Amino acid sequence: MDSQLLIKSMANGDESNTNKLHVVMFPWLAFGHIIPFLELSKFIAQKGHKISFISTPKNIDRLPKLPLEFSNSITFVKIPLPKVDGLPENAEATMDITTEEIIYLKKAMDGMEKEVTNFLEKNSPDWIIQDFAQYWLAPISAKLGISRIFYCIINAWFIAFFGSTENMVNTNSGPPPTVEDFLVPPKWIPFETKAAYRRHEARWMVGSSQKNVSGVSDLYRNGVTMTGADATIFRHCYEFEGQWLKLLEDLHNIPMIPSGLMPPMVENNNDKKNDQSWISIKEWLDEKPKGSVVYVALGSEVTIGLNEINELALGLELSGSSFFWVLRKPSESGNTDPIELPDGFEERIKGRGIVWKSWAPQLNILSHDSVGGFLTHCGWSSIIEGLMFGHPLIMLPFLVDQGLNARILEDKGVGVEIPRNEEDGSYTSNSVANSVNLVMVENKGKIIREKAKEMISIFGNKNLHDKYIENLIEFLENHRKVSNQHISN
C-alpha cells in the first residue's frame, strides 16, 4: 500500500470516529451474489461500521427485512437499471430472465456507471467491495481515492482455473480459449486435481471467454476487476482445499483474503411458527424415518428443459427413496406455462415424494433429521448449506463453477456426480436413480455418507468462520486509504 494508508493510531484524534469505516457494497444482479454481499455487510456493520448497499430498486425491495439492529448502519441505495434492447421489461436480476438474456443484464448494469460515480463522489467512502461484472468501477474508485476489493462469492478454484489476470484480460483481444483448453486441469496448477470441465460445459465456458453484446467477455470483466483491486475476498477457507488460495496469491500478487465459508444461521422453529408453508413441510418431514429423504433443489438461477425435468422426475420415482423436490421457475422469465411433469407422476409418488412449486425454507429443510442427502446443482452456497449439516451430495451441475465444484467434491469423497452425456450434457432417469441409490441406501455409499458427516467440523464450524470474518474486518480497518477529502472531513 502507498503513503496514503491510514495508520490506525491517526494523529491522536477521536479514535472511535477515525476508525469507523464507510463501506460501499455493490454485488452483481443475481440473488446468489446479493445475499452473500448482504451477509458480509451485516458482519461489517456489527463491528460499528457504516454500509451503503447499492442495487436496483426492485432487487432491494425483494431483500429480506433487516433486523432492527442494522437500521442505522446499513443503508440501501437504489440506482435504476437503464433500459437495454433484449432485456425484458422489469427484469432486474438473473432470476427474472433466461440464461441467454444475462448478457443484456450485464450491458444494462454497465449503464449504472454514471449514477454510481455520482454517489461515490458525494459520499467519499473508505472502501468499495464489488463484484466481477463492474469492470469499469476500479478506475473511478482509484481516482476518488477509494480503496477497492473484489468479493468473489464463490470458491478459489474457479478463478484459479483461468490463470493470471493477464490471461483473463487478454481474452478480449487475443485468440479465445478452445473447448480443449477446458477439458484438462490447466498447466499452472502445480498439484494434482480433478478440476476440469466436461465437453458440454466447456462450450459454455468458451462462450463466456468471448465478447458479447456488452462489448467485453465475462473473463475480461473478472480480469480487469482483479487488476484494479487492492485485494480479493474469497468465500473459502484454508481448512478445505486451502492450496487454491495459495495458488491465487502466486498468480495475482495481491492479498487473497478468505472470508471463511460464512455458514448461514438456521431460523429456529419459534421464529417460523406462523409460517404456513414451513408448518406443512415440517409435518411431512416429521413422518419420515431419520436420514431417509433426498432434498432436491437446483437453485433459483438454473432453468432446466422439459426433457431434463422428466428424466429427473422419473429417476427420483425409480430410486424408491422419499424426496422433497423444490421445482420452480425463475420469477419472470417470460414463460408462463405451468411446469410439466410426466403423466401421472405426482399421483404415483404421493406420500413418498413432494414436488414443491414455490419458495421453500432450504436451511430448515436441510437441518431436519429426516433429510439424508442433497441432490444439488452444485452452486457454492448450496454446497456449503448441504455440508454444514453433513449431507452427502448427489450432484447435477449446469453452469459456471458448478462443474468444477462437482469434480472436486466427488474427489473429496463427499458425493457423486450424476453421469451425463459428454457432448450434450443429457442424463437419464436410470443415471439419476442409480446415483440416488448409491448415496442414500447402498453399502458402497456408506463411506460417502461418513465423509460428508466429517465435513460438519469444517462447514458447520461457526467459530472457525467467525474468526475469518474478524480477520477480514481488521484488514479493512488497517488498510484503507485516506484521501485529502477524508482527512479534511
Side-chain angles (χ1 to χ4, degrees):
M1 292 287 169
D2 57 35
S3 59
Q4 290 182 307
L5 282 182
L6 175 67
I7 308 302
K8 208 171 184 184
S9 57
M10 185 181 159
N12 297 324
D14 177 356
E15 196 174 333
S16 62
N17 210 27
T18 300
N19 288 336
K20 191 169 184 179
L21 300 172
H22 178 194
V23 180
V24 170
M25 306 291 282
F26 189 16
W28 160 236
L29 304 174
F31 276 82
H33 290 237
I34 292 169
I35 297 300
F37 267 74
L38 186 58
E39 290 308 306
L40 183 56
S41 299
K42 290 179 193 171
F43 285 119
I44 298 169
Q46 279 169 341
K47 294 291 184 182
H49 303 303
K50 178 187 168 190
I51 302 289
S52 294
F53 193 98
I54 297 176
S55 195
T56 65
K58 187 175 175 183
N59 289 339
I60 285 171
D61 290 343
R62 288 190 280 200
L63 285 170
K65 198 167 168 51
L66 281 180
L68 272 176
E69 64 180 291
F70 299 112
S71 57
N72 295 321
S73 53
I74 299 179
T75 305
F76 291 114
V77 180
K78 295 180 176 180
I79 294 182
L81 192 68
K83 289 193 182 343
V84 163
D85 286 345
L87 188 66
E89 190 78 23
N90 298 322
E92 294 187 12
T94 53
M95 69 189 291
D96 302 329
I97 54 180
T98 64
T99 305
E100 293 71 34
E101 290 166 330
I102 289 174
I103 52 175
Y104 301 105
L105 189 63
K106 289 180 182 128
K107 187 176 180 183
M109 192 181 203
D110 292 342
M112 295 170 74
E113 179 178 343
K114 189 178 175 195
E115 293 275 357
V116 171
T117 304
N118 288 344
F119 176 81
L120 297 176
E121 284 174 343
K122 283 179 191 157
N123 290 275
S124 300
D126 299 290
W127 285 96
I128 182 152
I129 299 180
Q130 68 164 97
D131 219 321
F132 78 99
Q134 307 93 309
Y135 71 103
W136 39 267
L137 190 53
I140 294 163
S141 307
K143 189 177 167 191
L144 295 171
I146 302 165
S147 299
R148 303 159 301 286
I149 284 191
F150 166 41
Y151 179 22
C152 184
I153 56 100
I154 51 184
N155 53 60
W157 54 73
F158 175 64
I159 299 293
F161 194 88
F162 299 103
S164 65
T165 38
E166 188 182 15
N167 244 28
M168 291 190 250
V169 171
N170 284 346
T171 58
N172 229 47
S173 51
T178 65
V179 165
E180 276 64 34
D181 291 332
F182 291 101
L183 301 181
V184 292
K187 60 182 182 298
W188 50 81
I189 299 179
F191 44 84
E192 201 169 312
T193 178
K194 295 281 173 64
Y197 285 97
R198 307 277 190 241
R199 190 167 287 277
H200 62 94
E201 298 164 335
R203 281 196 285 272
W204 191 89
M205 293 309 301
V206 167
S208 76
S209 313
Q210 296 169 339
K211 284 186 192 180
N212 54 46
V213 294
S214 70
V216 295
S217 70
D218 289 353
L219 275 188
Y220 180 82
R221 287 177 187 272
N222 249 310
V224 172
T225 297
M226 288 186 82
T227 303
D230 295 315
T232 295
I233 301 170
F234 281 91
R235 194 177 178 188
H236 205 109
C237 66
Y238 284 105
E239 289 74 12
F240 186 79
E241 293 283 308
Q243 73 270 35
W244 293 96
L245 286 163
K246 172 74 175 70
L247 173 59
L248 279 169
E249 292 211 322
D250 295 342
L251 286 169
H252 296 284
N253 298 313
I254 59 169
M256 297 290 160
I257 309 167
S259 66
L261 299 176
M262 294 169 60
M265 294 285 287
V266 187
E267 286 181 83
N268 66 44
N269 286 333
N270 287 336
D271 293 338
K272 297 186 76 64
K273 60 187 174 193
N274 297 319
D275 182 338
Q276 289 308 311
S277 60
W278 171 237
I279 290 166
S280 62
I281 292 167
K282 186 177 181 300
E283 282 174 359
W284 186 85
L285 291 170
D286 284 346
E287 292 171 1
K288 302 296 174 201
K290 185 175 180 178
S292 66
V293 176
V294 183
Y295 176 63
V296 184
L298 302 179
S300 59
E301 317 286 323
V302 171
T303 314
I304 67 172
L306 183 59
N307 192 53
E308 292 167 313
I309 289 174
N310 280 342
E311 293 301 323
L312 183 51
L314 295 172
L316 290 168
E317 181 181 359
L318 200 58
S319 74
S321 285
S322 296
F323 62 88
F324 188 97
W325 181 8
V326 181
L327 176 63
R328 63 195 186 104
K329 288 187 179 162
S331 59
E332 289 172 34
S333 59
N335 185 351
T336 54
D337 298 336
I339 293 165
E340 283 187 53
L341 288 159
D343 284 347
F345 171 73
E346 287 182 272
E347 290 75 32
R348 295 194 301 273
I349 53 96
K350 206 163 191 165
R352 176 164 72 81
I354 281 188
V355 182
W356 191 264
K357 293 174 186 172
S358 59
W359 180 85
Q362 179 158 299
L363 277 177
N364 290 82
I365 295 169
L366 287 169
S367 67
H368 196 282
D369 280 349
S370 69
V371 173
F374 184 12
L375 198 160
T376 172
H377 66 305
C378 292
W380 188 229
S381 291
S382 288
I383 287 167
I384 290 167
E385 291 175 13
L387 291 178
M388 68 187 267
F389 298 111
H391 293 315
L393 306 173
I394 303 144
M395 298 179 282
L396 190 60
F398 288 88
L399 301 169
V400 199
D401 61 318
Q402 295 162 13
L404 296 185
N405 297 345
R407 314 291 115 77
I408 285 172
L409 289 155
E410 187 170 70
D411 197 37
K412 291 288 276 190
V414 297
V416 299
E417 187 175 350
I418 294 171
R420 297 168 92 141
N421 181 297
E422 282 280 335
E423 287 294 326
D424 64 12
S426 60
Y427 52 88
T428 66
S429 54
N430 280 328
S431 64
V432 172
N434 293 341
S435 301
V436 169
N437 284 332
L438 173 62
V439 166
M440 294 297 291
V441 295
E442 286 180 20
N443 213 32
K444 279 192 296 185
K446 190 178 178 192
I447 191 160
I448 295 171
R449 297 190 288 273
E450 286 170 355
K451 283 247 185 195
K453 283 235 171 351
E454 288 169 15
M455 289 295 121
I456 296 172
S457 66
I458 296 174
F459 283 74
N461 187 337
K462 188 173 184 306
N463 291 338
L464 170 71
H465 300 297
D466 283 353
K467 186 68 188 151
Y468 276 105
I469 291 289
E470 282 172 29
N471 291 341
L472 164 57
I473 295 170
E474 277 178 26
F475 180 90
L476 295 176
E477 290 168 346
N478 295 337
H479 293 84
R480 60 173 164 177
K481 291 178 183 172
V482 182
S483 67
N484 291 333
Q485 189 172 1
H486 285 110
I487 294 169
S488 62
N489 287 345

